[in-house]
Structure formats: C-alpha cells, structure tokens
C-alpha cells in the first residue's frame, strides 16, 4: 500500500460518520455516542474497541468549540493510540512501516470490527494487501507454508522488533524449530548434522519461508538444491565429501534415487545418527559382519533375499548358476564386503553402478568388471580372474 493510501485511511478514520436518525426523532447527545441513536451500530460487531464498548468516545475525540456537533481527534498520528497502547509500540530497531508513519488505522478499525485485534481484514489478506510480492508468490505456488495460510504473525511481529524482517525471534532457526519440533528432536539426537543446519538462519538456505512450487517449500527441486553446494569437493568434520555434480556428469549409469532426483531417499538433509547423513542404518566400515537390520538403507529398495539366500534362481542376477554371489561377498561373519566395495552409490561408468576401483589402504584396487548378457567377469587384485554365468555356470575357485 502506498504512503498516500495509508494517509487516506488515517484521514477517513479521523471523521465520525453520523448515520441519519429516524425522521422526527431528536438524538439525545447526553447519553453518549453509542447510546444516542447515532453510532449504536459500532457495538453490534464481533470485536469492539474498549472506549467504544464503554461509550467513552471522548477518549479519542474532542468536541469542537461552539454549538456545532463536530469533533476532532484528541491527538494526532500514533500518539492517539499510544496514549493507551504504550506497550505495543516501543522503540525498536525495526518498525513496521504503518507504525513508523503513525498510520495505525491502515490495519485496525478504530471503532469495531468482525476480525480479531480490530483488524480491517482477515490477517493474511491484510498483510498480503501491501506485501504484493509475497502475494504473487503465494498465489502462484503449489505449496504454501502453514503460517502464511494461518496468519503472518506466527513468525513476524506486526508492530516492531529488534530483528530483521520483523521476525518475532532473534534466532530464526529456533523460530522454525518452535513449530517443527520433530526436526529439533532429530537434531538433538543426531551424531552428524548437515553443515547448513549449524549456521545462523540455516533453514532459509534450503526452504522458502512463504511458498514454493516444491514440496517442503524448498527453494529449488530437491536434487538441484543439493547440487548447488555439492558441485565441488567439500570438507565435513574429518571427512572429504566428493564433488557429486562432477561424478554424475562423468558417469552415465546413475543409481535409482539419482535417476528420480531424490537425494532424500538415502540422506536426511537435517541430521543423522550415522555417517554421510544416511536416512537409515548402513555399516560405518568398509568391512562388516552381515546383519540384515544394519543394511536398512539398502533394503528400503532392494530385496534382502538377494543377500540372505545362499542359493537362488531369482533373488539376484549376480549368481553363478544358482550360487548367490551377493551372499558370498556380503553375508560373512568376518570381513563381509559392504555394498560400497563394488558399487558407487551415486554413479559409475559401468552398469549396476559398479565401480572402476576399490580402495585398499592407499592403493586403488582395479576391478576390471566386464558384463555379458548372462553374467560377467572381474579381475580384481583380491583374487584371480573370475567369471560367472547364470545359465552355464563355470567352475569357481576355492575362494568362492
């Protein structure tokens, strides 16, 4: 709303409109404004300003000298309101525009209203009437933040505050967590926290506080948002985080969640009890004794039978005849190979996102994997060249 419009509202509100009384009747001005037969309609609304309810109009209006039935405001600008509402408008670092200009009636009806707080409109519509850029975003977005639907004062102080954007709290992250208690509980219990969550104002790094075309009011589609940071090598605590953007560009075979652009299928973007912000359990070490619950992350999509059945003709394609080679590598009490021993969880040059090399201390152990229509072969440094075939199984080494 323009300053001129705000001024017009203030001017209009400074004049008492006197409804016509019944023909032939004479108002009894001694009974006061609301009981004289002129302004009784003010008392019929849902919310009535206290001076009006008490028939004490002279708290805000003064009669002009002479016999004419005319009135002026007792004080000008915000001073008229702060005479009673001194605790509402304090000296703050940031003051709402209408308050700073003394245009209280830009938002409040001075007599009575059908809205709480004597607002001239429902709160959301009242705010968006001036904040048109937010209104455009809200009206054009599929997902709207609940406080925007319910009322802006859940996050903003309508009069003034010491915080930028008139936020109701100095710690904007805590302001979010006051409603999103499940995220606060997750952060409190998380061993590993996503680095943006440790920064001030962290929530708006990824979320729009008003509205978005994306679920969870994300600023961008989920994967695009992640790659805005993960398009470079990063350092997190004592770990080096790979350049995922570069990995995806260089490798054509992408893991299923990457294909569906859903990073949150495997990672919790806020915090996690384990490494790499995994959303569910996955072994911390390269070698691990097999335990089905320990692979909850993988078994959310992949069938556990591919790793629990020693012999199978359907649970996995990685088999020599019916001999399950996933079971052979992973399902061990000692030095069971975890999934990352052979697979890159993001992308690879090989089908099934099989890696080119495997770390073994400081050495990168080449796998030399080759695929066939019914099986494949590999020649890693950990055993002699081996071949497998689902239809015509070749003999295997003693290690298998």
């Amino acid at each position: 709303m323009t300053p001129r419009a705000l001024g017009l509202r203030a001017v209009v509100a400074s004049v008492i409109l006197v409804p016509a009384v019944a023909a032939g009747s004479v108002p009894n001005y001694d009974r006061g404004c609301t009981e004289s037969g002129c302004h009784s309609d003010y008392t019929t609304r849902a919310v009535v300003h206290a001076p009006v309810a008490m028939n004490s109009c002279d708290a805000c209006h003064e009669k002009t000298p002479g016999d004419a039935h005319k009135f002026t405001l007792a004080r000008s600008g915000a001073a008229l309101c702060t005479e009673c509402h001194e605790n509402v408008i304090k000296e703050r670092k940031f003051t709402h525009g209408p308050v700073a200009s003394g245009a209280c009636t830009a938002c409040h009806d001075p007599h009575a209203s059908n809205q709480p707080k004597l607002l001239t409109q429902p709160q959301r519509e009242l705010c968006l009437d001036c904040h048109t850029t937010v209104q455009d975003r809200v009206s054009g977005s599929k997902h709207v933040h609940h406080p925007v639907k319910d009322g802006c004062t859940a996050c903003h102080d309508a009069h003034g505050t010491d915080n930028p954007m008139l936020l109701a709290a100095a710690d904007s992250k805590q302001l979010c967590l006051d409603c999103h208690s499940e995220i606060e509980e997750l952060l409190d219990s998380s061993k590993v926290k996503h680095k943006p969550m440790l920064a001030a104002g962290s929530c708006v790094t990824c979320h729009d506080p008003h509205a978005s075309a994306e679920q969870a009011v994300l600023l961008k589609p989920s994967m695009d948002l992640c790659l805005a940071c993960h398009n470079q090598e990063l350092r997190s605590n004592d770990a080096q985080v790979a350049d995922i953007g570069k990995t995806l560009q260089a490798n054509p075979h992408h893991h299923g969640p990457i294909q569906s652009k859903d990073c949150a299928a495997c990672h919790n973007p806020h915090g996690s009890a384990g490494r790499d912000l995994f959303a569910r359990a996955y072994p911390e070490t390269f070698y691990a004794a097999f335990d089905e619950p320990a692979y909850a992350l993988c078994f959310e999509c992949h069938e556990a039978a591919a790793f629990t059945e020693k012999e199978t003709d359907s649970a996995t394609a990685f088999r020599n005849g019916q001999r399950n080679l996933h079971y052979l590598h992973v399902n061990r009490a000692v030095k069971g190979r975890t999934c990352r021993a052979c697979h890159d969880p993001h992308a690879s040059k090989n089908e099934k996102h099989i890696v080119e090399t495997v770390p073994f201390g400081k050495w990168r152990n080449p796998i030399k994997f080759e695929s066939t229509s019914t099986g494949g072969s590999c020649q890693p440094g950990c055993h002699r060249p081996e071949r497998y075939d689902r239809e015509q199984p070749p003999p295997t080494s003693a290690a298998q």
Side-chain angles (χ1 to χ4, degrees):
M1 184 175 294
T2 65
R4 181 181 180 185
L6 290 174
L8 283 174
R9 275 197 181 181
V11 169
V12 170
S14 70
V15 179
I16 294 182
L17 300 179
V18 183
V21 296
S25 65
V26 178
N28 183 355
Y29 296 133
D30 293 335
R31 298 181 61 186
C33 302
T34 61
E35 297 179 8
S36 65
C38 295
H39 302 290
S40 58
D41 60 313
Y42 287 141
T43 63
T44 63
R45 300 189 193 174
V47 183
V48 182
H49 196 190
V52 178
M54 294 185 293
N55 197 20
S56 299
C57 303
D58 57 353
C60 300
H61 301 277
E62 292 181 346
K63 189 175 183 305
T64 59
D67 295 332
H69 190 67
K70 294 183 179 180
F71 295 82
T72 61
L73 291 175
R75 285 160 294 278
S76 61
L80 181 67
C81 302
T82 56
E83 179 72 14
C84 294
H85 300 284
E86 68 276 4
N87 292 325
V88 173
I89 307 173
K90 298 178 180 178
E91 185 175 341
R92 303 285 180 85
K93 188 174 180 181
F94 300 94
T95 304
H96 195 193
V99 177
S101 63
C104 303
T105 53
C107 300
H108 302 277
D109 189 312
H111 298 112
S113 173
N114 289 322
Q115 305 300 326
K117 308 292 186 182
L118 295 170
L119 295 177
T120 58
Q121 299 180 66
Q123 188 191 108
R124 179 173 178 262
E125 285 76 5
L126 180 63
C127 296
L128 296 180
D129 205 23
C130 289
H131 296 281
T132 54
T133 54
V134 178
Q135 163 71 352
D136 291 343
R137 192 152 76 248
V138 168
S139 61
S141 296
K142 183 177 180 181
H143 301 281
V144 179
H145 196 193
H146 285 295
V148 179
K149 294 180 180 178
D150 300 336
C152 306
T153 54
C155 299
H156 301 277
D157 190 302
H159 296 107
T161 176
D162 290 330
N163 310 309
M165 309 302 295
L166 296 178
L167 289 176
D171 186 342
S172 60
K173 181 171 73 175
Q174 188 57 51
L175 183 65
C176 299
L177 296 179
D178 285 344
C179 289
H180 297 281
S181 56
E182 75 286 359
I183 303 299
E184 185 170 33
E185 291 172 5
L186 173 67
L187 291 174
D188 288 342
S189 63
S190 292
K191 178 182 175 182
V192 180
K193 297 177 177 60
H194 196 192
K195 194 171 182 179
M197 292 302 300
L198 302 176
S202 56
C203 302
V204 294
T205 303
C206 299
H207 301 275
D208 189 300
H210 296 109
S212 170
E214 307 301 323
Q215 285 189 328
V217 287
L218 292 175
L219 294 172
K220 298 178 180 179
S222 174
M223 190 169 173
D224 293 343
L225 187 63
C226 296
L227 291 178
C229 291
H230 291 279
N231 60 354
Q232 58 189 313
E233 288 191 0
L234 300 170
R235 192 79 183 169
S236 177
N237 298 324
D238 296 328
Q240 192 75 19
V241 181
D243 182 338
I244 304 301
K246 183 178 180 180
T247 298
L248 299 183
Q249 288 180 354
N251 296 280
H253 296 282
H254 293 175
H255 193 191
I258 296 292
Q259 294 178 38
S260 60
K261 300 184 182 298
D262 185 13
C263 302
C266 297
H267 302 280
N268 192 308
H270 298 107
S272 171
R275 56 169 289 169
D276 297 327
L277 295 172
F278 286 143
R280 285 163 289 280
Y282 182 83
E284 294 269 340
T285 56
F286 186 84
Y287 295 108
F290 182 78
D291 178 51
E292 187 173 333
Y295 286 87
L297 180 70
C298 302
F299 295 159
E300 183 76 9
C301 297
H302 300 283
E303 293 294 334
F307 305 88
T308 58
E309 296 182 8
K310 190 173 183 177
E311 301 283 335
T312 181
D313 58 5
S314 60
T316 178
F318 185 38
R319 65 182 193 274
N320 195 37
Q322 290 189 329
R323 192 172 193 188
N324 185 343
L325 300 181
H326 270 133
Y327 178 97
L328 173 75
H329 287 81
V330 177
N331 201 325
R332 295 184 175 190
V334 179
K335 293 193 76 172
R337 275 74 171 171
T338 55
C339 305
R340 70 170 69 91
C342 297
H343 301 279
D344 189 296
H346 295 105
S348 171
K349 288 182 172 62
N350 299 311
E351 294 179 4
K352 306 296 183 182
H353 47 94
I354 294 176
V355 296
E356 296 285 296
T357 62
V358 177
F360 190 80
K362 296 182 179 179
W363 175 43
R364 297 294 304 187
N365 182 3
I367 290 184
K368 299 179 182 178
F369 172 76
E370 293 184 4
S371 176
T372 69
S373 61
T374 57
S377 64
C378 63
Q379 188 179 349
C382 55
H383 60 69
R384 74 179 194 180
E386 293 285 1
R387 184 171 62 87
Y388 70 95
D389 195 288
R390 293 181 289 276
E391 298 179 0
Q392 297 180 351
T396 59
S397 67
Q400 293 196 35

